Amino acid sequence: MRTSRTSRTSLRARLTALLTGGAVVGALLAVATTAHAADTPLRDLAAAKGKVIGTAVTGSKLTGTYGDIAGAQFNSLTPGNAMKWQTVEPTRGTYNWAEADQIVAFAQAHNQQVRGHTLVWHSQNPSWLTNGTWTSAQLSALLQDHISTEVTRYKGKLAAWDVVNEPFNEDGTYRSTLWYNGLGSDYIAQALTWAHAADPSAKLYINDYNVEGVNAKSTALYDLVKSLKARGVPIDGVGLQAHLILGQVPATLQQNIQRFADLGVDVAVTELDIRMQLPSDSAKLTQQAADYKAVFDACVAVSRCHGVTVWGFTDSDSWIPDVFSGYGAATPYDENYVPKPAYYAIAGSLGGTTTPPPTGACTAAYSVQSQWNTGFTGQVRIACSGAALSSWKVSWTYGAGQRITQAWNADCTQSGAAVTCANASYNGTVPNGGSVTFGFNASWSGSNPVPTVTLG
């Protein structure tokens, strides 16, 4: 629905390692598991229930841990911004498909569906369109051309499209937009018809927010879908965005999903996040877990509920803090890719493991292997027992001017006194009961004091 934020700071789990003389001294470090121990991936749990579990993604971030989780845990991707009109046609007749193509290619490589988002919306349109003066005929031609061009480009590659996004006001009246004002309410039927002509195999949805429970807005959407069905307009489903507030999952959510299903259309929860007033604490995280479970339970209970997409799986890629001042922590993973109680609540709703791995199940030991008057050789051993890792990163800050000069079995960088070492391409996985090590040479002069180590 909205733009995403840039990634934030890394997890900080601190401890002291004693590094003196040439002694070999180890320090155990708490590790955040990104592979979730031996847990069955969410996508496999969802598939076993006949459901889809998706996430909105930012194409440029589909590498490293972000890419690993997006590929391993979800069987559907929604481009957060890459398929919106402003992105794909910023100048009339000049197209930019780079990020959208990247996301589709990633999904194909990871055996995932793609949900197109979105073709017709009042927001994030290019200035040439919104600032133009158009007759109804011109506006209709522009919209048809846009829909036909984009849907045809991805014909056969996308499972579904959010064709029309947010057409209603809160009271159930039509929102005053470029499209409604210029074309009337039938722009919705026209858009669906044009999208179907461009790709008859794609499922076509109308998507909106604050329509999760039974209310005036969702009833207006219900009446519209019923009317479109009666007219023979191609409409396959409704999307309930579900940008929810902590403790406010509508009591009528399952009832509402069911009444749409009874019209003969699919229902998808398309943009789920559950925001809380910051800072988060254990009580809020517990309530958030219960809320996520309630949403997934409602979908699992209705056969025509296609699945649930979270609007970004990590807080580092969430739009909430930039739009709702003082609110955040809305996704199932924290900013450092550590699964929250909400992650395990989702897994539990889908029939999987409901408890997190034990604290300290993965640890790391930092040791000095040898030391001489100008330098030393160090090693870090990362081991897991009762959990596993799909990637790892170790950071520390030197206190006496030490400089890493060479590293092996890790990608290490140093900026000033700060050192960060991440797994190489071949040794990111640390299985339950297994370990990996990496080493480095470094210089020192005069002393080799204790660094503060961060692992996450």
Side-chain angles (χ1 to χ4, degrees), residues 397-429:
T397 301
Y398 281 127
Q402 302 99 315
R403 300 288 305 180
I404 286 187
T405 56
Q406 180 187 18
W408 49 94
N409 297 329
D411 295 323
C412 293
T413 59
Q414 183 168 354
S415 176
V419 177
T420 299
C421 295
N423 60 272
S425 60
Y426 51 82
N427 66 349
T429 299

Side-chain angles (χ1 to χ4, degrees), residues 58-289:
T58 302
S60 62
K61 297 180 181 179
L62 286 171
T63 60
T65 302
Y66 182 98
D68 290 343
I69 295 175
Q73 294 292 328
F74 302 96
N75 55 15
S76 177
L77 300 182
T78 300
N81 292 292
M83 290 185 176
K84 292 171 181 173
W85 200 330
Q86 183 182 65
T87 302
V88 300
E89 195 182 4
T91 303
R92 188 175 182 182
T94 301
Y95 296 93
N96 177 10
W97 305 107
E99 187 185 2
D101 286 353
Q102 178 188 18
I103 292 169
V104 171
F106 182 95
Q108 290 175 332
H110 292 81
N111 193 29
Q112 296 168 306
Q113 296 181 10
V114 178
R115 182 182 190 88
H117 180 81
T118 177
L119 295 171
V120 188
W121 192 24
H122 63 272
S123 185
Q124 289 184 249
N125 290 312
S127 58
W128 66 262
L129 176 65
T130 57
N131 293 337
T133 301
W134 316 105
T135 66
S136 293
Q138 289 171 326
L139 196 60
S140 179
L142 285 169
L143 185 57
Q144 182 176 8
D145 180 68
H146 169 68
I147 292 172
S148 299
T149 299
E150 185 158 10
V151 176
T152 298
R153 180 177 183 84
Y154 298 106
K155 182 179 181 179
K157 297 180 179 180
L158 268 61
W161 279 100
D162 292 326
V163 178
V164 177
N165 199 42
E166 302 174 2
F168 290 108
N169 294 313
E170 296 304 303
D171 63 0
T173 59
Y174 283 102
R175 184 192 292 268
S176 176
T177 68
L178 175 68
W179 312 115
Y180 179 77
N181 296 340
L183 302 175
S185 62
D186 216 38
Y187 81 90
I188 297 172
Q190 292 171 331
L192 290 162
T193 301
W194 293 329
H196 179 72
D199 186 356
S201 66
K203 299 294 186 180
L204 307 181
Y205 281 70
I206 301 173
N207 192 51
D208 215 328
Y209 65 93
N210 288 351
V211 293
E212 295 76 32
V214 177
N215 55 36
K217 192 174 187 180
S218 66
T219 297
L221 178 58
Y222 176 90
D223 291 341
L224 171 62
V225 172
K226 185 176 181 180
S227 172
L228 292 170
K229 291 280 289 182
R231 292 169 54 189
V233 175
I235 174 71
D236 299 296
V238 296
L240 317 179
Q241 290 184 11
H243 295 293
L244 303 176
I245 301 172
L246 190 71
Q248 297 185 26
V249 177
T252 53
L253 174 60
Q254 183 177 327
Q255 174 191 344
N256 193 41
I257 294 173
Q258 186 65 61
R259 71 166 176 163
F260 279 106
D262 290 343
L263 286 178
V265 296
D266 294 333
V267 181
V269 177
T270 54
E271 305 182 21
L272 175 64
D273 49 32
I274 301 175
R275 63 187 182 270
M276 64 181 69
Q277 192 164 17
L278 298 175
S280 66
D281 57 35
S282 59
K284 293 176 184 177
L285 292 172
T286 299
Q287 179 64 57
Q288 184 184 58

Side-chain angles (χ1 to χ4, degrees), residues 10-25:
S10 304
L11 174 67
R12 287 172 172 78
R14 298 186 175 182
L15 56 87
T16 300
L18 188 61
L19 303 177
T20 58
V24 178
V25 184

